[in-house]
Amino acid sequence: MPRLSVNIDHIATIRQARRGTEPDPVTAAALAELAGAEGIIAHLREDRRHVQDRDLRLLRQTVQTRLNLEMAATEEMQRIALEVKPDIVTLVPEKREELTTEGGLEVVTRLETLQPFIGRVQGAGIPVSLFIDSDEQQIAAAKKSGALLVEIHTGAYANARTEKARDEEFEKILAAARLAASLGLRVGAGHGLNYANVQRIARIEEVEELNIGHSIISRAALVGIDRAVQDMIALVAD
Ligand code: PXP
């Protein structure tokens, strides 16, 4: 069974809607760990639209499991990673205008810049994972890059509109996971996984870790409404 790591970005998204202090993603991370999460993931984006530098620093101090910093391969982010020292760094592509990470990292054509970048981060004792599409060439390039891990992008599988398309995407993920593992890379998977589509991916033997955010935070908001309303009624009635 793969480990579940929880991405807390969207707790920060709710907080940033008011630029206030609640809900605090640091508290959410602690609660996720108490519930059994074996890792916490935070994506510090260049535009700081959700997770803030302060969150990352506090998460570093409080996360008891493994803190995975998702980031773009930029000089600024490398400096932050080397300062904060997360347990793992996941390199993702990042576009300012995107709603979420849209595709996997382009490794094949960027090997020359990625190799020294990864070497520097791993040289500081932080293993690097590359978030890549289920593509043979990207996986082979990931191996050449020196990264120790890959995270296979499950977005196309999650967003497939027909069963046939979903089956095809699943087969690609399966083949990619097997290839990566055969090359000695450790394998994770994530993006768009939810309560309806996760099980098939979780059963892939080579997948050691699932990284899930939006669906868990969405469900937390809904299953928590009953209690939250009752708490407010009790105060109003008091
Ligand atoms: N893995 C990576 C590399 C991501 O960028 C994201 C989204 O931030 C996730 C996993 C989690 O995706 P989701 O929020 O759709 O579960």
Side-chain angles (χ1 to χ4, degrees), residues 7 9-10 43 70 90 92 100-101 131 151 190-193 211-215:
N7 177 313
D9 292 353
H10 296 306
H43 184 174
E70 260 182 42
T90 299
V92 298
T100 179
T101 314
F131 184 50
E151 180 181 338
H191 210 282
L193 295 178
N211 293 339
I212 306 182
H214 191 267
S215 62

Side-chain angles (χ1 to χ4, degrees), residues 19 29 113 217 219 237:
R19 302 266 189 279
T113 45
I217 304 307
R219 181 167 290 216

Side-chain angles (χ1 to χ4, degrees), residues 50-224:
H50 39 54
V51 172
Q52 305 295 305
D53 297 67
R54 163 266 185 207
D55 302 330
L56 185 64
R57 285 170 213 287
L58 288 177
L59 285 168
R60 175 61 298 177
Q61 290 173 37
T62 56
V63 165
Q64 307 282 318
T65 54
R66 292 198 319 167
L67 176 63
N68 182 339
L69 169 60
E70 260 182 42
M71 60 181 222
T74 63
E75 287 303 312
E76 182 203 13
M77 289 299 154
Q78 186 180 74
R79 183 179 48 71
I80 292 171
L82 294 178
E83 260 173 51
V84 172
K85 289 206 170 13
D87 298 297
I88 179 164
V89 157
T90 299
L91 295 180
V92 298
E94 199 176 291
K95 294 193 217 102
R96 265 172 192 267
E97 64 283 7
E98 69 189 358
L99 287 177
T100 179
T101 314
E102 280 168 0
L105 193 67
E106 172 50 50
V107 190
V108 176
T109 58
R110 292 187 57 208
L111 253 186
E112 264 180 43
T113 45
L114 284 171
Q115 270 168 340
F117 191 98
I118 293 166
R120 184 116 199 267
V121 176
Q122 291 194 156
I126 309 165
V128 172
S129 177
L130 302 183
F131 184 50
I132 53 174
D133 291 329
S134 47
D135 175 291
E136 219 174 276
Q137 292 188 357
Q138 297 295 343
I139 289 165
K143 177 66 185 172
K144 281 193 202 143
S145 76
L148 295 172
L149 308 94
V150 288
E151 180 181 338
I152 298 172
H153 197 317
T154 51
Y157 159 82
N159 296 330
R161 291 279 180 95
T162 64
E163 216 167 303
K164 183 170 174 285
R166 181 158 297 190
D167 285 349
E168 283 169 11
E169 292 301 333
F170 175 78
E171 291 302 327
K172 285 193 213 164
I173 293 168
L174 182 62
R178 287 181 176 160
L179 174 63
S182 75
L183 295 173
L185 292 160
R186 305 193 68 173
V187 183
H191 210 282
L193 295 178
N194 61 30
Y195 296 81
N197 64 26
V198 72
Q199 284 188 307
R200 244 174 131 184
I201 302 294
R203 290 190 192 118
I204 298 176
E205 212 181 302
E206 289 77 9
V207 172
E208 294 180 26
E209 181 172 0
L210 295 177
N211 293 339
I212 306 182
H214 191 267
S215 62
I216 292 176
I217 304 307
S218 302
R219 181 167 290 216
L222 294 187
V223 300

